Amino acid sequence: MRPEQEPARDVGNDEAALIEAARRGDRDAYGQLVRRNLPRALAVAHGIVRNRADAEDLAQEAFVRAHAHLERFRPGAPFAPWLFRIVTNLALDLLKHRGRLREEELGETHAAPRATEADTAAHANEKLRRIDAALELLPEMQRIVARLSLVEELEHADIAAALDITEGTVRSHLSHARAALRAKLSDLYEVS
Amino acid sequence: MNDDEWFDRLRNDARSLGYALTDPWQLDRLARGVLERLDAPSPSVFAFLSAWLRPLGVAVALVAVLGTAAALLALRAEEPVAEVTAQILMLQEDPYGAAE
């Protein structure tokens, strides 16, 4: 069951009113903002950290931080891009922290890389395992864009907002990722 | 199979690696979790300070107890020496026991 991704771009004045009410301390108004944007916030976080529990923690933390800084929010601006950037920054910080820990572990014990849930799920299915491995081999930005687009099914506008890049840059990364994936997985859907 | 068809099939398979809800109420639970965190009282200045000072107080008390115990042990260890020293001094003052 995938979370339904409610389009946030058609809420317009309604969203502005909710943000204004939330700024004045209306918890219900903020609750509505949370429910509207949570599915895509979860998808952004999961696309970067590839772990369900971490994605849920990060998405919740992003909403808490966004609420704490609502007074800095520019009136009339859309809420989702701002929120997605908070999610992305938290997720990238977590990955950096994990990377440092893993380097320390490897330095001390030569530990095997930590398995993610995606690894586990992928092992159950050879095709998924190959797709997951091919995605992991992409350069960082291509990998994140490809995961957010292909795996989490986010729209280009949301990906651009989350990564603070233009939609053109998203399309460019995706095009390179497509070519690399096609080369790596050329035999995946060949008719035998 | 052209490039778009191939990519559509890849997209179809790749989506099962994405985030999926385990049940229909999960979004509600997560949203409620956010609001509960917002409603949680932030710690007061007193609570914040006491949280920092409590371990410090325990450490100071521990040092005081250990210091007292060490001083007592040192005094007890010195007592026989002091007694012997006093006896020697008394003997030196009265080497023939004339005082008895």
Side-chain angles (χ1 to χ4, degrees):
Chain A
M1 186 189 311
R2 293 176 74 78
E4 284 189 22
Q5 296 181 358
E6 193 175 332
R9 278 171 291 286
D10 59 356
V11 290
N13 294 332
D14 182 21
E15 183 178 84
L18 286 175
I19 292 169
E20 191 47 43
R23 277 171 130 163
R24 291 195 306 266
D26 184 338
R27 288 283 193 272
D28 288 341
Y30 197 65
Q32 285 191 53
L33 283 171
V34 171
R35 283 184 183 83
R36 279 182 183 184
N37 292 286
L38 187 54
R40 287 180 299 157
L42 287 165
V44 170
H46 192 260
I48 298 172
V49 297
R50 300 170 62 219
N51 177 289
R52 185 180 183 81
D54 287 340
E56 290 168 1
D57 285 347
L58 288 172
Q60 286 187 311
E61 177 65 22
F63 278 109
V64 171
R65 292 200 185 187
H67 185 268
H69 297 106
L70 266 185
E71 75 279 2
R72 285 191 211 162
F73 186 73
R74 187 162 48 85
F79 182 71
W82 185 57
L83 176 78
F84 295 164
R85 275 199 288 280
I86 298 175
V87 175
T88 301
N89 288 338
L90 289 171
L92 291 176
D93 282 349
L94 182 70
L95 286 189
K96 272 183 209 155
H97 179 67
R98 289 254 166 90
R100 277 200 297 270
L101 284 181
R102 192 176 298 169
E103 276 171 20
E104 284 167 18
E105 281 174 6
L106 285 170
E108 287 168 12
T109 63
H110 301 282
R114 192 190 308 257
T116 65
E117 281 180 357
D119 292 332
T120 315
H123 279 296
N125 181 319
E126 175 62 14
K127 195 189 281 179
L128 288 184
R129 192 198 62 73
R130 287 192 59 198
I131 294 171
D132 195 49
L135 284 165
E136 275 310 281
L137 288 174
L138 295 172
E140 187 179 41
M141 279 303 277
Q142 284 181 35
R143 183 178 71 238
I144 293 173
V145 168
R147 281 197 180 279
L148 294 180
S149 174
L150 289 176
V151 177
E152 307 296 341
E153 300 182 285
L154 285 170
E155 292 175 20
H156 290 183
D158 290 335
I159 298 170
L163 301 175
D164 204 12
I165 55 180
T166 64
E167 287 187 48
T169 310
V170 170
R171 281 193 289 275
S172 168
H173 283 307
L174 204 50
S175 169
H176 286 110
R178 273 174 75 141
L181 289 171
R182 182 90 205 236
K184 275 262 179 287
L185 303 168
S186 57
D187 62 321
L188 202 60
Y189 302 115
E190 295 305 326
V191 182
S192 55
Chain B
M1 188 187 303
N2 69 33
D3 200 45
D4 285 339
E5 285 171 348
W6 187 90
F7 208 61
D8 283 344
R9 292 187 68 176
L10 179 71
R11 190 187 292 275
N12 262 344
D13 285 329
R15 67 192 304 189
S16 46
L17 291 170
Y19 182 88
L21 295 175
T22 51
D23 62 68
W25 302 279
Q26 194 179 6
L27 277 183
D28 281 336
R29 278 201 304 275
L30 291 171
R32 217 170 30 245
V34 173
L35 297 181
E36 280 166 9
R37 284 183 60 185
L38 297 182
D39 290 334
S42 53
S44 65
V45 174
F46 176 76
F48 179 78
L49 285 177
S50 67
W52 277 95
L53 292 176
R54 197 175 298 132
L56 190 67
V58 169
V60 169
L62 198 65
V63 168
V65 167
L66 287 176
T68 309
L72 285 172
L73 282 174
L75 281 174
R76 192 170 291 176
E78 277 176 16
E79 267 173 15
V81 177
E83 276 174 26
V84 171
T85 310
Q87 284 170 3
I88 291 167
L89 284 172
M90 282 168 67
L91 284 172
Q92 281 175 344
E93 281 171 12
D94 186 8
Y96 305 108
E100 288 177 9

